[in-house]
Structures are given as structure tokens and as C-alpha cells.
Amino acid sequence: MNVHIPTAQEQLKFLKNIQLILQSGSFSSTYKFALLISLSRLAIEKGEDSGESLSLEYTDIAEKFIELYWKQAVPYIFNDEGQLILNQNNGKQAAIVNRIIEHRKNYSSLGMLRRDSLVWLTLLNEVKSIVKKMPVTFLQNINGQNFEFLYQLDRCRKQLILLPQVMFCLRQFSEIIEELCQKRWIDYIKKNSSNAPILNQLPNLEQFMFEPSRNQLNAVANVLVDLQDCKCFYCNKPMCNGNYAVDHFIPWSMYPSDTGHNFVLADSSCNSKKSNLLASDEFLHKWQERNEEHDLIIVDRISILGFLTDKERSHKVAEWAYKQANENNYVKWNVING
Ligand SMILES: [Zn+2]
């Protein structure tokens, strides 16, 4: 087997293939977008920059599915009064979404559901078996032909094993893949006739489907005010006037998934100047130290708000992001020249 780091040509071919399955794949539900996003995020959280294959647990994939659909399994409100739960399937609502809708009646946040471990594990197992049966089987299907460039189906019984070079390419192109998938996912929702009532009134559809809610972030801000003694994470100035915002330390544009350890509180000025840039290296160290020191508080107080809080994973994501930035010469922001 080929375990070298893929050549530039091989990397481009991979990207072309991703585009091909998004363009020509037969998509009867949004599961395939969710699967591709999940694989790409897990390659960052669990993988490394080598040409090796990577074995992924179906449980981890199922967890990513639940996170993605949890947000979308409440009514989308439009025109002030109309509301509709987005249909994620060509026929009846997708089974995973139905399961999650049921749980949302009993649990106010994903964090609360996770704490009820018996219910959580049952849901994980249900989602796991659907993921295995549906999107994993059909993702690489183009016009009835199996096109196995991500994984080989017959070798993916217990775990999903990414082929050599795939982990490397997913990590390399994760930002592009996320964006492609999100755009195609939104398009699918718009074109699905059972979502017709919301057609033409979608200014916030993207925000509704993928971005964290304001309420949730306000609750995170309350935790961080305590943690940072109400001082800006970047310039250290006091923010007693309440003029602050929750900042994604690793910018949302690079890694669009909320994890508890990624949040810092910044004054409005630093927050808007940093925008979607990475902070300079000194802040990476400050952030890592903050997470080491306050890990327990973050896990305890932010996970209950519904965010996944796993320090190791957050730090792996940061390691990936700074490596990408260094290799591709992304501009980094710091307080002085910002
Ligand atoms: Zn500041």
C-alpha cells in the first residue's frame, strides 16, 4: 500500500473526486454532507499529517452527526410567524432527525442529553447503525457505480478505515470541504419541495443551520467573565462595561464546530480586529495554559450549555490550524499591529 504523503497531483485529484461526489452523487438525503463533514473534522481531531490510513470509530462519527443535526432539529422560524422543521430527506423526514426531534422534547441542550448516559448511549447506537447502513454505503456511489476513493466498504465493518492518503487530504482541504458541503447542504434544503414554504425567505438559513445561537454564546460569556476576571483575553484591558464578545480562538472560518475550550472573551475592539484571523503564537501558548489551568471549570460549566468539551481534541484542532497557517502563510493577528 501507498503510504507516502500524496504528491501535489494526487492532492488535486482527491479534491476533484470530492467535487465529483458532491456534484454527481445520488443524494436522497442530507446524510452524505453530514458524513463528509464528520470525516473531515475527525481527521483533524484524531489524525496527523501523514499518508497513513486512519481507523475511525462509528461512535465518533455518530456523535458528529448528532451535533450537526441537533441544531437543525428545531423549527426554523421565518416571516415572524411561520415555522417548519427542515425536511432533510426526499420522502419522509430522515430517521436520525426524527430521533433527535424526540429527544429535544426532553432535553434543553445536547449537554443535558449527554449527561443522561443511558439515553445518550442508546441514541448513539441507533445513529451509528443508520450511519453504517445509509450514508457510509452510498456516499461514494455515482450513478450506481461504487467509486471507492475514501474507504473500501468491505473493510469497514467494525470501524471505518480511511484509505492511505485520505486523512492527509481531508486535513489539507478541510476548509474547502466544509464550505462545499455546507453550500450543497443549504441548496438541498432549498430545493427539497417539502421545504417550499420557506423558499424566498431565507436570509438566516445558513446561520440557523450551522452557526451557534446568540443565546448559547451569551451563556458562555457569563462563564468566561468569571474565568478571565472580566479582562480581555488579548489586550488584558478591563471590560467591566459589558462591551465584550465571545471569540472563537480558532476562527470559525477555519473550523466551524464549537468546542468548549475554544471560546475566549475579548473586548469588542480586539474581537472585531481579530475577525477571522488566527491569533499570533504567544496567544496560542496563553490559550493552552488557560485550558490546562481551568480544564475542570470549562468541562463542568460549558458542557452543560450543550458544547462538546474535550481539551485534547481542541488542542489537536489548534495544532492543525497553526500548522496550516504556517505552511500556507496565513496572516496572524496580534494586539500591537492589529
Ligand atoms: Zn482587547
Side-chain angles (χ1 to χ4, degrees):
M1 274 288 188
N2 242 343
V3 291
H4 65 275
I5 286 182
T7 62
Q9 208 168 15
E10 286 166 331
Q11 293 183 41
L12 281 178
K13 192 166 166 228
F14 177 86
L15 206 50
K16 280 276 178 202
N17 288 340
I18 292 284
Q19 198 196 16
L20 190 69
I21 53 168
L22 285 175
Q23 214 161 46
S24 338
S26 36
F27 285 65
S28 60
S29 76
T30 58
Y31 286 163
K32 292 178 198 175
F33 307 118
L35 178 58
L36 211 46
I37 291 177
S38 302
L39 296 182
S40 153
R41 292 184 187 174
L42 286 169
I44 291 173
E45 292 174 19
K46 307 267 176 189
E48 54 180 32
D49 291 317
S50 80
E52 303 282 330
S53 62
L54 175 69
S55 301
L56 296 172
E57 301 296 332
Y58 279 105
T59 310
D60 288 327
I61 301 173
E63 188 176 33
K64 291 279 178 237
F65 266 70
I66 296 170
E67 275 173 46
L68 281 163
Y69 283 112
W70 180 267
K71 248 191 91 45
Q72 302 183 17
V74 284
Y76 169 71
I77 297 169
F78 55 95
N79 267 0
D80 292 337
E81 63 225 28
Q83 51 171 284
L84 173 87
I85 293 191
L86 302 177
N87 189 347
Q88 307 272 356
N89 192 24
N90 280 353
K92 290 181 296 179
Q93 180 63 279
I96 292 177
V97 180
N98 273 334
R99 297 280 197 293
I100 295 175
I101 291 169
E102 280 308 306
H103 288 294
R104 288 208 69 142
K105 291 178 186 156
N106 302 322
Y107 299 91
S108 58
S109 76
L110 194 49
M112 300 301 286
L113 171 58
R114 274 202 182 97
R115 285 183 180 211
D116 204 339
S117 53
L118 205 63
V119 179
W120 171 244
L121 284 179
T122 310
L123 175 65
L124 262 185
N125 278 327
E126 286 170 343
V127 172
K128 197 164 109 176
S129 81
I130 298 170
V131 166
K132 233 172 170 174
K133 223 180 297 168
M134 306 278 297
V136 166
T137 312
F138 296 112
L139 176 67
Q140 306 176 108
N141 193 296
I142 295 175
N143 305 323
Q145 297 282 333
N146 240 344
F147 177 49
E148 299 184 335
F149 75 103
L150 295 167
Y151 48 82
Q152 282 171 342
L153 269 183
D154 58 354
R155 293 179 60 233
C156 289
R157 295 264 179 256
K158 288 229 158 63
Q159 292 172 312
L160 190 148
I161 304 159
L162 298 178
L163 291 167
Q165 303 189 342
V166 170
M167 164 176 72
F168 182 93
C169 291
L170 286 174
R171 290 166 64 85
Q172 195 65 20
F173 299 120
S174 133
E175 293 147 284
I176 298 173
I177 293 169
E178 289 268 358
E179 192 165 337
L180 275 176
C181 287
Q182 287 195 11
K183 292 251 153 53
R184 297 273 174 179
W185 192 331
I186 292 170
D187 279 351
Y188 176 92
I189 293 293
K190 286 183 184 174
K191 284 181 189 147
N192 187 333
S193 59
S194 46
N195 297 322
I198 56 165
L199 225 69
N200 303 324
Q201 26 221 343
L202 313 157
N204 299 317
L205 190 57
E206 185 174 356
Q207 192 184 11
F208 171 79
M209 288 173 66
F210 296 108
E211 289 169 21
S213 79
R214 276 291 121 202
N215 287 344
Q216 260 181 320
L217 289 186
N218 289 341
V220 170
N222 292 334
V223 177
L224 294 178
V225 164
D226 293 350
L227 222 61
Q228 296 176 204
D229 289 330
C230 209
K231 287 183 190 142
C232 173
F233 180 80
Y234 298 104
C235 70
N236 238 353
K237 288 182 192 144
M239 309 182 293
C240 325
N241 53 9
N243 210 358
Y244 49 68
V246 174
D247 176 64
H248 290 92
F249 184 71
I250 301 302
W252 182 265
S253 57
M254 282 193 87
Y255 192 77
S257 164
D258 276 317
T259 49
H261 293 84
N262 194 36
F263 296 122
V264 297
L265 205 59
D267 57 24
S268 314
S269 162
C270 287
N271 182 251
S272 75
K273 285 180 195 151
K274 176 172 176 275
S275 184
N276 57 7
L277 299 175
L278 274 182
S280 57
D281 294 0
E282 75 215 71
F283 291 113
L284 173 61
H285 302 133
K286 181 176 173 182
W287 173 77
Q288 284 164 334
E289 276 167 24
R290 193 278 311 253
N291 288 342
E292 297 296 345
E293 188 180 346
H294 297 298
D295 186 30
L296 288 179
I297 298 175
I298 293 170
V299 169
D300 194 46
R301 291 186 60 192
I302 296 189
S303 73
I304 205 157
L305 303 173
F307 298 102
L308 180 77
T309 47
D310 179 335
K311 189 184 68 190
E312 308 310 321
R313 284 204 208 191
S314 283
H315 287 194
K316 286 274 285 187
V317 171
E319 195 186 303
W320 164 82
Y322 277 83
K323 192 153 179 264
Q324 284 287 311
N326 292 337
E327 282 173 7
N328 299 299
N329 298 319
Y330 292 179
V331 174
K332 288 182 205 157
W333 175 80
N334 74 47
V335 176
I336 298 136
N337 69 14

Coordinates of all heavy atoms in Angstrom, one line a residue, residues 232 235 267 270, ligand 1:
C232 N -9.9 41.4 28.9 CA -9.9 41.0 27.6 C -8.8 39.9 27.5 O -7.6 40.1 27.9 CB -9.6 42.1 26.6 SG -9.3 41.6 24.9
C235 N -5.8 41.8 25.0 CA -5.1 43.0 25.4 C -5.1 43.2 27.0 O -4.4 44.1 27.5 CB -5.6 44.3 24.8 SG -7.3 44.7 25.3
D267 N -12.6 42.1 24.3 CA -13.4 43.3 24.2 C -13.8 43.5 22.7 O -13.2 42.9 21.8 CB -12.6 44.5 24.8 CG -11.3 44.7 24.1 OD1 -11.1 44.3 23.0 OD2 -10.4 45.3 24.8
C270 N -10.8 44.3 20.1 CA -9.9 43.1 19.8 C -10.7 42.1 19.0 O -10.3 41.5 18.0 CB -9.4 42.4 21.0 SG -8.1 43.4 21.8
Ligands
ZN1 ZN -8.7 43.6 24.0

